Amino acid sequence: MSFDVLPPPYPFGAFHLVIKDAAEEVWRNTQAPDALIGMEFMTVMSVSAQGFYDVRLPTGQVRPLSLNSLVVAESGERKTGVHNLVAEPIYAFDVGRVKKYETEIEEYELQNRIWKSIDAGLRRQLTKLTQEGQPIEELCRQLSDHAANRPIKPRARRIMRQNATERAIMDALEGDGESIAFISDEGEIIIKGGALNQTGTLNKAWDGASMLTLDRSDGVSVVVRNPRVTVSYMVQRQVLKELLDRRGDVMRGSGHWARYLIGCPASTQGTRYTYHLNKDWHHLPKFHERMRELLDEFGRRVDAGVAERTTLEFSDDVHPRWIELANHTETMLQPWGYMHDIKDFASKALEIAARVAALLHVFSKQEGKISVDTLNRAIAIVEWHLHEFKRIFSPTTIPQEHADAQVLEHYLFVNYWCRNFTFAQKNLVLRNGPVRPASRLDAALNCLIAMGRVSIGVGRKRERYINLNGAYFGSLGGAVAY
């Protein structure tokens, strides 16, 4: 596990416009770490859409749109502020469902009392007729009809969950097509609450199992059909280390971690300067509107008893691209390959990319089948997380120049590109930047030059400049005016 190496900027540029604009607006107004914000958006998209959308992979399997995510961030990174801001429509949806349940349970209790009174009266009549030797066929028919009309107790449905044992998870998912999410900006609640002790159940739910069962000690069985579960939590580094020390082998060995998008973004503390107290919100409300549309439609389907989901498909021209990606991944699994030590995540990466592509398709309101462009956008996002998975879980030591290159790239992005500068004077970067001495800076620059992300220019006085590749840095997100 390496927390000393900083990741590159989160690929906001891979999002479609309605998502990208909202994410960058949150970034500008909160100045929280970019990946923390990007992953929060991915999570709420998953929660909003998983209830009534699935995706058919190019290989034919149908999979949920559920995503698992883990953000590693220290106290003070504005985890709570970002979560409450972005996820607000989900909490509002839950509040609305609870109020609806409270109204329904009052009506149910009234109707149930009436039903019981009528039932008791019919049974008294039956007893009397039996004692008198009178015909009871008509009364039995009335009893049968009355039994069939017994009021059904409403169910308290809400999406957000935190503290859950296996019993609580299964009870929440009982029935057909339930959709829940374990989300917390304080991951200790999820970890200590018991949800992560049930990795087998969570893995099956993530995979899209058609049925899960739990046999209770009282002889009653809980049957869950076609559940959808999103798991997302934010933890501090020490909490994650303790979790890995205690249960890391089990969670990695069971394949649970392989089902996660993981990120440990660079801290922004110390650079979050305030210039305006009033924040403008033009784009986030549009994203929230789309969330509400999806959640409301899910609520209507639940109320109507419709459990069947809409299955999204990929266009035919995605197939060659999918084959190319699958073969490239297979090559990277060889002993000398980049993914050799993270085979578990590599085995899920394409499927996760398909889920992300479907979410991008849904939230950008595209019609028809999922396009190659949307898949490529999803690949860019998942690739960022693949590097993070390797950085956090791989035992392999990253060469110093590669580590320095990642730190330097992030510094150039935040301090130059996001402030509308397309170049940086090398001496200033050496003096004020994160990589010293000059030999290490040169090695890091050589790595970035080899990847086509920067080039070196020479001024009239022989001073050297680091030119930022606009095609690459622009794909990470628009310039930000703090």
Side-chain angles (χ1 to χ4, degrees):
M1 181 189 304
S2 175
F3 291 127
D4 297 328
V5 180
L6 296 180
Y10 199 78
F12 283 168
F15 289 141
H16 287 99
L17 203 59
V18 66
I19 312 166
K20 175 179 177 290
D21 286 348
E24 290 185 342
E25 187 171 65
V26 173
W27 190 24
R28 285 194 298 271
N29 287 344
T30 67
Q31 300 184 51
D34 54 359
L36 187 153
I37 295 168
M39 293 174 69
E40 184 68 36
F41 271 81
M42 294 300 303
T43 293
V44 300
M45 288 163 62
S46 169
V47 174
S48 302
Q50 70 176 4
F52 64 99
Y53 279 110
D54 287 333
V55 61
R56 189 185 307 279
L57 307 184
T59 49
Q61 302 98 324
V62 176
R63 292 290 185 262
L65 299 196
S66 307
L67 296 177
N68 291 349
S69 65
L70 169 64
V71 178
V72 185
E74 296 305 306
S75 177
E77 295 295 354
R78 300 180 174 171
K79 301 188 293 291
T80 302
V82 169
H83 171 68
N84 291 341
L85 191 63
V86 179
E88 186 274 331
I90 301 175
Y91 287 104
F93 177 81
D94 273 355
V95 169
R97 299 302 293 185
V98 169
K99 290 181 178 179
K100 184 175 185 296
Y101 169 75
E102 290 172 348
T103 301
E104 290 175 343
I105 198 67
E106 289 180 3
E107 178 65 19
Y108 162 78
E109 289 173 350
L110 173 61
Q111 294 300 324
N112 196 46
R113 285 195 297 269
I114 296 172
W115 185 92
K116 286 182 176 180
S117 297
I118 296 173
D119 186 70
L122 290 172
R123 291 180 184 278
R124 284 194 297 269
Q125 292 181 47
L126 180 63
T127 300
K128 182 179 179 182
L129 291 177
T130 302
Q131 291 173 345
E132 295 176 352
Q134 299 293 323
I136 61 172
E137 287 79 8
E138 175 61 21
L139 192 57
C140 287
R141 185 190 63 77
Q142 292 181 36
L143 272 168
S144 178
D145 291 344
H146 182 65
N149 292 322
R150 182 166 190 165
I152 300 174
K153 186 176 183 179
R155 183 170 179 177
R157 286 186 169 94
R158 59 186 174 86
I159 293 176
M160 292 295 202
R161 310 280 172 157
Q162 290 185 348
N163 189 342
T165 61
E166 183 180 21
R167 169 73 177 272
I169 293 172
M170 295 295 286
D171 285 345
L173 291 172
E174 185 176 12
D176 193 359
E178 290 295 324
S179 174
I180 65 174
F182 294 97
I183 298 179
S184 178
D185 54 325
E186 293 296 339
E188 281 189 283
I189 297 175
I190 297 287
I191 294 170
K192 294 181 178 179
L196 297 185
N197 294 330
Q198 317 303 330
T199 55
T201 300
L202 293 176
N203 286 356
K204 290 177 182 178
W206 188 91
D207 293 340
S210 58
M211 181 181 292
L212 300 173
T213 60
L214 174 67
D215 295 323
R216 295 175 176 170
S217 58
D218 57 8
V220 177
S221 292
V222 179
V223 179
V224 173
R225 295 183 178 87
N226 303 303
R228 294 297 180 262
V229 182
T230 287
V231 178
S232 175
Y233 52 103
M234 304 181 188
V235 297
Q236 297 177 8
R237 295 179 182 183
Q238 188 56 41
V239 174
L240 177 61
K241 287 180 179 179
E242 291 173 0
L243 176 62
L244 293 178
D245 290 341
R246 189 174 71 254
R247 302 195 68 250
D249 290 343
V250 173
M251 296 183 74
R252 183 87 188 268
S254 67
H256 189 63
W257 285 132
R259 292 167 168 82
Y260 276 74
L261 294 175
I262 293 177
C264 180
S267 174
T268 58
Q269 295 187 54
T271 63
R272 302 177 305 198
Y273 301 110
T274 300
Y275 299 104
H276 306 284
L277 294 179
N278 296 322
K279 307 296 184 182
D280 293 326
W281 296 102
H282 301 294
H283 302 293
L284 184 61
K286 297 177 183 178
F287 179 81
H288 278 170
E289 181 181 353
R290 182 59 177 147
M291 286 179 65
R292 282 189 286 268
E293 289 174 358
L294 295 169
L295 291 168
D296 289 346
E297 176 60 24
F298 171 66
R300 285 191 290 270
R301 292 195 180 196
V302 168
D303 293 340
V306 178
E308 185 177 354
R309 299 183 178 91
T310 300
T311 301
L312 301 170
E313 311 245 357
F314 283 93
S315 62
D316 291 341
D317 55 354
V318 162
H319 294 181
R321 176 61 172 152
W322 186 273
I323 292 172
E324 175 189 354
L325 291 166
N327 288 336
H328 176 70
T329 299
E330 189 65 25
T331 299
M332 292 294 99
L333 298 179
Q334 298 180 37
W336 57 85
Y338 183 77
M339 303 181 196
H340 176 70
D341 51 354
I342 54 168
K343 293 178 181 178
D344 47 349
F345 183 82
S347 69
K348 304 292 184 185
L350 260 183
E351 178 179 331
I352 295 174
R355 299 180 186 216
V356 173
L359 291 172
L360 297 177
H361 180 87
V362 168
F363 267 80
S364 57
K365 293 188 176 181
Q366 296 184 55
E367 297 181 355
K369 297 183 177 182
I370 303 169
S371 67
V372 173
D373 173 70
T374 299
L375 176 62
N376 286 335
R377 291 170 179 268
I379 290 295
I381 294 169
V382 174
E383 184 178 12
W384 186 94
H385 288 284
L386 183 146
H387 298 317
E388 283 293 89
F389 192 95
K390 184 178 178 72
R391 180 168 73 95
I392 293 174
F393 288 115
S394 173
T396 304
T397 302
I398 299 176
Q400 183 66 56
E401 61 269 22
H402 292 178
D404 287 342
Q406 290 180 337
V407 174
L408 179 61
E409 179 185 321
H410 187 271
Y411 174 81
L412 293 172
F413 178 73
V414 171
N415 292 279
Y416 287 89
W417 182 263
C418 290
R419 289 179 166 83
N420 294 313
F421 292 101
T422 60
F423 64 90
Q425 189 172 344
K426 183 182 175 184
N427 282 341
L428 290 179
V429 172
L430 178 62
R431 184 189 310 160
N432 303 319
V435 180
R436 299 186 188 88
S439 58
R440 278 180 57 181
L441 176 63
D442 288 339
L445 283 171
N446 287 336
C447 287
L448 294 180
I449 292 169
M451 291 186 284
R453 298 177 183 180
V454 303
S455 61
I456 300 297
V458 181
R460 287 178 297 177
K461 297 182 179 179
R462 308 302 296 171
E463 70 276 18
R464 293 184 175 273
Y465 292 91
I466 304 169
N467 298 314
L468 310 185
N469 183 340
Y472 173 71
F473 283 90
S475 70
L476 302 176
V480 180
Y482 289 116

